[in-house]
Amino acid sequence: MTSFFVKIHDYLSSLKRNRFVIAFALCLLVLGVLVTFGFSALVRLVIDHQVALRPGGQSFGWWSKPPVEPFIRLYVYNVTNADEFLNNGSKPILDELGPYVYLQKWEKVDIVENDNGTLSFNAKRVYIFNEELSGGSEDDVVIVPNIPMLSATSQSKHAASIEYYISTDLFLIEQKLPYEEFGLMYGKNSTSRDRVTIWSGVDDIGRYGIIDKYNGFSHLPHWSEERCNRLNGSDGSIFPPHISKNTTLFVYEKDLCRLLPLTFEKEVDTRNNVPGYRFTPTEDVFASVEKNPDNMCYCPAGPPCAPHGFFNVSACQFDSPILLSFPHFYMADQSYREAVEGISPPEKEKHQLYIDVQPSIGRTLN
């Protein structure tokens, strides 16, 4: 009988010890969870404070005058049978020239800190030709479509309506192209006249780097719906931090006069072994309205609208008859590439537009 009570006593003692161990383990688990979440929250707070654009801060210095000087590589298609094309309607034969390599130096100037948590500035860009890395000289002579003449010709199609207004003595319209010289890079090698206002992220990190106003306007005037005229995207250099794979990034591209949506494609490691996310345009961004009805708002004068894989910029480029596509008609109907000779088939690795972003701090890695 005595041994029986001894066993019960030992069992109860063991049970008490086990309860203590279990309780202690649970306490450690709860403490670990609290520390983990608390530490993560602390890290987020530190990141948010560091990346916000405060004049005099390190992040502000990197943003206003980036320490990197990237290269831009330009290629030009020279029309080698211009006379036959113009006189006989022969298929254009193109010769790809380049690359013409330029070193880029970027800087934000005339920066003003506004009371509402925004910064206003003008962008200054300097392009320095690098002949050693280039496949040609700046003195090369090329034959390309006469874009100013095509623009003037396109504007003249409204002559009938102009004559009508003149004949009724209502008013006289004289529309001129806003340049006396023309070049695909003309006016870019200088301080831009465009005044840009972005959110600094000091008060709201969720709007960090997002455009608030462009030349004083919060929306564009070109397209038929409000959603297509929005400007609430980035310039492509910084984005709100804590980016996930489900995030859609929006980049405002002036030459397109619209926001470009970018979605996650894959994880990448840069040359410095910095992990990042690669974001690319959605496949339907330049889709025809038949394939993507949401693009109808970018066709204010249509139908007909831009064919699949193209974007019509006429509405925001002085009525110039210009359709833009990705290089080598990437993601466009290949019948357009086959309408000329000399353009090789598109390759995703070479011709896809993408931006690599460090997701924690929202900075581009390209």
Side-chain angles (χ1 to χ4, degrees), residues 99-100 102 129 131 134-141:
Y100 297 92
Y102 290 83
F129 183 64
E131 191 165 5
S134 298
S137 166
E138 285 190 305
D139 296 325
D140 289 347
V141 177

Side-chain angles (χ1 to χ4, degrees), residues 90-287:
S90 301
K91 178 186 286 190
I93 300 175
L94 310 181
D95 182 25
E96 184 180 88
L97 304 180
Y100 297 92
V101 181
Y102 290 83
L103 176 70
Q104 300 180 78
K105 294 186 177 182
W106 302 342
E107 185 179 359
K108 275 85 172 178
V109 297
D110 299 328
I111 302 173
V112 174
E113 185 179 14
N114 304 308
D115 294 334
N116 65 342
T118 62
L119 298 167
S120 298
F121 63 91
N122 293 78
K124 179 181 179 180
R125 295 193 177 189
V126 177
Y127 296 88
I128 302 173
F129 183 64
N130 189 312
E131 191 165 5
E132 291 184 0
L133 297 179
S134 298
S137 166
E138 285 190 305
D139 296 325
D140 289 347
V141 177
V142 298
I143 299 176
V144 296
N146 190 336
I147 296 178
M149 187 195 73
L150 292 173
S151 300
T153 302
S154 177
Q155 289 188 6
S156 69
K157 69 183 180 182
H158 303 296
S161 61
I162 293 175
E163 290 177 358
Y164 170 79
Y165 286 120
I166 294 174
S167 64
T168 54
D169 293 326
L170 291 178
F171 53 86
L172 174 65
I173 297 177
E174 182 181 8
Q175 186 173 5
K176 295 182 179 180
L177 299 177
Y179 42 73
E180 296 180 355
E181 298 179 279
F182 176 80
L184 294 179
M185 297 292 289
Y186 182 75
K188 296 182 182 294
N189 197 12
S190 62
T191 300
S192 172
R193 291 180 295 180
D194 295 319
R195 190 70 173 167
V196 184
T197 300
I198 67 169
W199 296 97
S200 67
V202 172
D203 298 326
D204 182 0
I205 199 64
R207 293 194 288 183
Y208 165 75
I210 301 300
I211 295 173
D212 175 46
K213 298 286 180 61
Y214 202 91
N215 290 326
F217 296 97
S218 61
H219 286 71
L220 297 166
H222 311 299
W223 313 117
S224 60
E225 295 182 32
E226 184 272 342
R227 63 182 177 86
C228 295
N229 283 314
R230 293 173 186 169
L231 283 166
N232 56 334
S234 162
D235 66 356
S237 62
I238 56 175
F239 299 93
H242 317 302
I243 296 170
S244 75
K245 296 178 181 179
N246 296 321
T247 302
T248 298
L249 305 179
F250 291 92
V251 176
Y252 175 64
E253 175 52 55
K254 179 186 175 182
D255 291 334
L256 291 174
C257 303
R258 61 165 290 180
L259 293 176
L260 273 182
L262 307 176
T263 57
F264 173 82
E265 183 187 55
K266 63 180 180 180
E267 296 183 11
V268 295
D269 285 319
T270 65
R271 286 173 294 182
N272 297 322
N273 295 320
V274 178
Y277 289 171
R278 175 161 295 178
F279 284 80
T280 63
T282 55
E283 291 187 359
D284 61 355
V285 66
F286 289 164

Side-chain angles (χ1 to χ4, degrees), residues 19-33:
R19 286 179 178 176
F20 174 77
V21 171
I22 293 173
F24 183 71
L26 288 175
C27 289
L28 288 178
L29 178 62
V30 172
L31 181 62
V33 171

